[in-house]
Amino acid sequence: MKSLPLAKVYQLIEPGPVVLLTTAHKGRANVMTMSWHTMLEFEPPLIACVVSSANHSFAALRATGECVIAIPARKLAAKVVKIGNTSGRDGDKFRAVRLEPVAAEQVAPPLIAECFANLECKVTDTRMVQKYNLFVLEVVKAWIDPAQKRPKIIHHHGYGRFAVDGPMIKFKSRMR
Amino acid sequence: MKSLPLAKVYQLIEPGPVVLLTTAHKGRANVMTMSWHTMLEFEPPLIACVVSSANHSFAALRATGECVIAIPARKLAAKVVKIGNTSGRDGDKFRAVRLEPVAAEQVAPPLIAECFANLECKVTDTRMVQKYNLFVLEVVKAWIDPAQKRPKIIHHHGYGRFAVDGPMIKFKSRMR
C-alpha cells in the first residue's frame, strides 16, 4: 500500500462509500460496516461518524480512541454484507469473512489488505457521543492500494441494496 | 410531489448524494450545493451537515433554523455545478440556473420542483456550529417525485468530478 496525502482524504469519503471500521480492544481486532459518516474538515482531515452503542465496536472505540476506516470496492460487497450481518460478539470476523488484517502504522486497529484505501484515525472529540453516538475522528495516516485502478465504490440504500458507481462525469468547477 | 414516510428518509441520504440546500432569509431564497452530510438517526430522521461559514447560506440557516434538502438526479448535474460555482451574494441563483422554487409545507425555504426528493428540515442542535460548522437537522416533512423512476444520484469526488449511480446490487441483509 502507498501513502496518500492527507489533503486528498476527503475525495474518498465525500462520495458516500460504505466503509469498514476496524477497532482493537483487549488484544482482539474487530470490524463493522458503516454508512453514516461525513467529512468535517479538509486538512487535517476530520470525519464525523455514527457508531451505534448497540454495535460491539462501540466500546472498543470509546475505550481506545482509535480505529481504521477501510474502503471496500464492489468486489468485496458480499463480505461487507456478511460483516454487517454478524457481531464481533460471535467470534473473529476477519477469519469468518476471510479478510486479511495488516498492521497499521500509527494506531493499533488493523488495516484491511483487500480494501483499496485505509485511513488510520484517532478520536478527537467525544462530546456528541452520548446524544448521537457521533464520534469525531482525525485521519492521521492514509493508504491507497495502487494496484486497484479506478475502484467502484458501493453506496448503501438500506436492507442490503447497494448502488455501484457507474460512469464518472466531469465539469469545470471551482468547488474543491 | 408525493409525501414520503419519514422512516424512509435515511435511504435517500445514506448513499451519499450531492444535495442542494435551500434557505430563505429577509424575503429572499437561496440555494447551495452540499456533500458533507450524514444520517444521525432513523426516526424522526436526523441529519448532520456542514454548511461553511464562508457560504452565503450560513447566515440564513443560523438565523432562521430552517432549510430544505433537495436531491438532484444525474440530469441536473450541470446545474448543481453552476450553483456550486456561484454565490447567493451575486443574485438570484434559482433564476440564474433555471430551477423552480416551490412553496414548502412546514418551512419557509422552497422545495425545488426538478429534484426527485425534497426534505423539509428544522435545525435542532447548533452546539457543533461554532467549532465544525455542523448543524443537526430534523426532517419534518419529506416529498418524492413519483414521476422520476429510479433516479441516478451523483456523488462528488472533488473539483467537479462526480460518480453517477450504476447498477443496483442486492444481498440478503439484516442491516436496516
Side-chain angles (χ1 to χ4, degrees):
Chain A
M1 279 186 267
K2 192 181 136 194
S3 184
L4 180 78
L6 292 179
K8 291 194 169 180
V9 163
Y10 82 96
Q11 295 178 5
L12 298 170
I13 294 299
E14 191 172 317
V18 176
V19 301
L20 299 175
L21 184 125
T22 79
T23 49
H25 191 34
K26 297 179 180 169
R28 219 180 118 220
N30 192 22
V31 55
M32 62 171 273
T33 59
M34 181 170 80
S35 281
W36 288 13
H37 53 70
T38 178
M39 291 305 299
L40 273 190
E41 186 54 82
F42 288 106
E43 196 178 6
L46 297 182
I47 295 171
C49 68
V50 176
V51 176
S52 165
S53 54
N55 285 119
H56 191 60
S57 302
F58 179 88
L61 187 58
R62 200 73 162 108
T64 67
E66 295 186 346
C67 63
V68 168
I69 292 177
I71 311 183
R74 190 258 173 267
K75 64 178 176 179
L76 296 179
K79 296 189 181 202
V80 168
V81 173
K82 193 167 178 186
I83 289 166
N85 283 344
T86 52
S87 171
R89 288 175 196 91
D90 306 328
D92 182 343
K93 286 212 254 183
F94 288 95
R95 185 173 300 183
V97 301
R98 296 194 199 166
L99 285 176
E100 187 189 346
V102 179
E105 185 181 284
Q106 297 191 32
V107 298
L111 315 177
I112 299 178
E114 294 84 353
C115 287
F116 73 88
N118 280 275
L119 311 176
E120 302 185 21
C121 300
K122 294 194 177 180
V123 175
T124 57
D125 194 332
T126 58
R127 284 176 299 167
M128 285 88 82
V129 171
Q130 198 176 350
K131 186 158 186 189
Y132 301 111
N133 291 333
L134 187 76
F135 294 82
V136 176
L137 312 175
E138 180 181 336
V139 181
V140 293
K141 179 78 194 175
W143 302 97
I144 199 108
D145 177 2
Q148 297 193 47
K149 312 275 187 207
R150 300 174 187 252
K152 303 272 186 195
I153 61 174
I154 54 173
H155 309 267
H156 195 227
H157 283 249
Y159 300 100
R161 291 182 309 122
F162 300 86
V164 182
D165 276 351
M168 291 289 291
I169 54 178
K170 185 157 181 19
F171 298 87
K172 275 200 182 164
S173 177
R174 289 190 287 168
M175 292 183 290
R176 185 178 187 188
Chain B
M1 278 185 267
K2 192 180 135 195
S3 183
L4 179 78
L6 292 179
K8 290 193 171 180
V9 163
Y10 82 95
Q11 294 178 6
L12 298 170
I13 295 298
E14 191 172 317
V18 175
V19 301
L20 300 174
L21 184 124
T22 80
T23 49
H25 192 33
K26 297 178 180 171
R28 216 179 121 220
N30 192 22
V31 56
M32 62 172 274
T33 58
M34 181 170 80
S35 281
W36 288 12
H37 52 69
T38 179
M39 291 304 301
L40 274 190
E41 185 53 82
F42 287 107
E43 197 177 6
L46 297 181
I47 295 171
C49 67
V50 176
V51 176
S52 164
S53 53
N55 285 118
H56 191 60
S57 303
F58 178 87
L61 187 58
R62 199 76 161 102
T64 67
E66 293 187 346
C67 63
V68 167
I69 292 177
I71 310 182
R74 191 255 173 269
K75 63 177 177 180
L76 296 178
K79 295 188 181 202
V80 168
V81 173
K82 193 166 177 185
I83 289 167
N85 283 345
T86 53
S87 171
R89 289 177 195 90
D90 307 326
D92 182 343
K93 286 212 255 182
F94 287 95
R95 185 173 300 182
V97 301
R98 297 196 198 165
L99 285 175
E100 188 190 346
V102 178
E105 186 181 283
Q106 297 191 33
V107 298
L111 314 177
I112 299 179
E114 292 84 353
C115 287
F116 74 87
N118 279 275
L119 311 176
E120 302 185 20
C121 300
K122 295 194 177 179
V123 174
T124 58
D125 195 332
T126 58
R127 284 177 299 168
M128 285 88 80
V129 171
Q130 197 177 348
K131 185 156 187 190
Y132 301 111
N133 291 333
L134 187 76
F135 294 82
V136 176
L137 312 175
E138 180 180 335
V139 181
V140 293
K141 180 76 192 175
W143 303 97
I144 198 111
D145 178 1
Q148 297 193 47
K149 311 278 188 205
R150 300 174 186 252
K152 302 271 186 196
I153 61 176
I154 54 174
H155 309 266
H156 194 228
H157 283 250
Y159 300 100
R161 292 182 309 122
F162 299 87
V164 182
D165 277 348
M168 292 287 292
I169 54 177
K170 185 158 180 18
F171 297 86
K172 275 200 182 164
S173 177
R174 289 189 288 170
M175 291 183 293
R176 187 179 184 186

